[in-house]
Amino acid sequence: MSQDAFRLVSPSGDETRLPVRSGTTGPDVVDISDLYRDLGVFTYDPGFVATGSCSSDITFIDGENGVLLYRGYPVEQLAAHSSFIEVAYLLLYGELPTAAALEEFDNIIRRHTMLNEGMLRFFNGFRYDAHPMAVLSAVVGSMSAYYHDTLDASDPEHRDIFAHRILAKLPTIAAAAYKLSIGQPFMYPRNDLNYCENLLHMLFAVPAEDYEIDPIAAEALDLLFILHADHEQNCSTSTVRMAGSSGANPYSAIAAGISALWGPAHGGANEAVLKMLEEIGDAKNISKFVAKAKDRDDPFRLMGFGHRVYKSFDPRAKIIREMCHKVLANLGRVDTPMFDLALELEQVALKDDYFIEKNLYPNVDFYSGIIYRALQIPTTMFTVMFALGRSVGWTAHWQEMIIDPTGKISRPRQLYTGAPQRDYVPIEERKLRERRANHSL
Ligand code: CMC
């Protein structure tokens, strides 16, 4: 911690000192926790644009220079040399595993892949056309009903088993949601396969014939999961921390994170990008869509562009763009036109003054959908795939939050703009107030 402090004087002359805290790297933070006590005011920062909500050892982002580190390791190095399971170990336990530790961890995850058989009956209760994200969040939320033997958050072994279950069972739940949507039988996991091979098997195999796993497809998924594994205090991770801070069971906290991820401004963007590219359809329409995105009176945004933190480039998008080339070349399948359209749209936007001035670059979601589509994963499953990768980050953050001795329930304050105190009016004396016209009742 740094010894520096900001001196803040209120208009009435009251004074406080706000300590400055320094992390390992990145901007310092000003600790305002005594501000209300000393000056009687709160800070105001809708969307947490300039607010650090916690301290964390897990992930570091330098948005100006496009740097992303997991436990200190650059994501480019992990993408080139590691595997998702190794990265999961790194995020959960803080260090890269030895060969023996990795083998043991991999083995544990392979042996937690089955769902309690009773949970499978849940899937039949959903409408056949339910969005898989709705199914994923509902089924993960219900895990606490099946695995309540290990919900004691103060017990390190319980926390560990929770982490293993989330990591191992999410692909099984995701694949079951997909099979439901296409009316095919659920495929049980195969523990002889690695994480991504097993996922492909559960998604695409059928009991009636053999299914050959494409190693390029497994490699591409593994890379995407590494890139999605964590991203510090993003919306869904902050949701997991916030829900978990009340002491709610961790499966509920993860279910809350899944719901937050679904939004199009967050993980739902990968699905939205594909829909947008389909809508654009042809390179000759790009300028029309770029103009729409720039029009302040039009809510349309270029999906897959812009990021709250990255203001030069998203390092994950760079890696994924390269993987797109490899996947499309190796699979020899579909979608080169869609990729070409995406490349052209990127070029037009990058040269456009509006996007330059606002530092809007392609983000992780811009190209990931093209890979998923080339792997024949349907659009509605894109955000589910994001959730599978991010589940390990959510779990690592939940674990960090729950053992933090300074941890408190998350409880932000507000700037109240509603009616001042007033007395109850009997119903016969009430008049329709003008304000009501602005409310959809
Ligand atoms: N297209 C057109 N204009 C944009 C875009 C875009 N994609 N993104 C931001 N802007 C404009 C925005 O209108 C605003 O303009 P002005 O200053 O004139 O009001 C300015 O850029 C700043 O935008 P903001 O919404 O205040 O920035 P933010 O940090 O709150 O939002 C964002 C970040 C990612 C939500 C936003 O860029 C966006 O909606 N992008 C499209 C959705 C998307 O791709 N989301 C995935 C994010 S990466 C993966 C993840 O987090 O899950």
Side-chain angles (χ1 to χ4, degrees), residues 342-362:
L343 286 172
E344 191 146 348
L345 175 59
E346 179 184 5
Q347 284 318 307
V348 173
L350 289 180
K351 286 188 203 122
D352 191 288
D353 286 346
Y354 173 95
F355 288 85
I356 295 169
E357 274 161 28
K358 295 186 187 299
N359 295 319
L360 300 171
Y361 293 85

Side-chain angles (χ1 to χ4, degrees), residues 100-111:
L102 181 60
E103 193 187 335
E104 189 194 348
F105 181 67
D106 182 52
N107 207 23
I108 290 171
I109 300 304
R110 283 179 196 235
R111 269 154 192 83

Side-chain angles (χ1 to χ4, degrees), residues 231 234 261 264-269 273 293-294 296 300-309 311 314 316 354-355 358 360 363-365 386 390:
H231 216 228
N234 59 85
L261 183 76
H266 193 10
V273 169
K294 287 158 51 174
R296 281 187 152 272
F300 174 77
R301 287 183 167 198
L302 271 197
M303 299 314 287
F305 266 79
H307 198 276
R308 168 65 59 81
V309 184
K311 298 302 173 198
D314 180 340
R316 303 166 301 171
Y354 173 95
F355 288 85
K358 295 186 187 299
L360 300 171
N363 59 49
V364 69
D365 289 321
F386 191 151
R390 184 58 55 86

Side-chain angles (χ1 to χ4, degrees), residues 349-391:
L350 289 180
K351 286 188 203 122
D352 191 288
D353 286 346
Y354 173 95
F355 288 85
I356 295 169
E357 274 161 28
K358 295 186 187 299
N359 295 319
L360 300 171
Y361 293 85
N363 59 49
V364 69
D365 289 321
F366 190 66
Y367 287 111
S368 60
I370 293 172
I371 299 187
Y372 290 137
R373 194 163 141 143
L375 302 181
Q376 301 187 332
I377 292 170
T379 318
T380 53
M381 285 293 288
F382 289 3
T383 312
V384 172
M385 305 308 279
F386 191 151
L388 297 190
R390 184 58 55 86
S391 65

Side-chain angles (χ1 to χ4, degrees), residues 56 59-61 68 230-234 237-238 309 390 397:
S56 179
T59 289
F60 174 73
I61 304 174
L68 170 60
D230 194 39
H231 216 228
E232 50 119 302
Q233 311 308 324
N234 59 85
T237 303
S238 299
V309 184
R390 184 58 55 86
H397 281 272

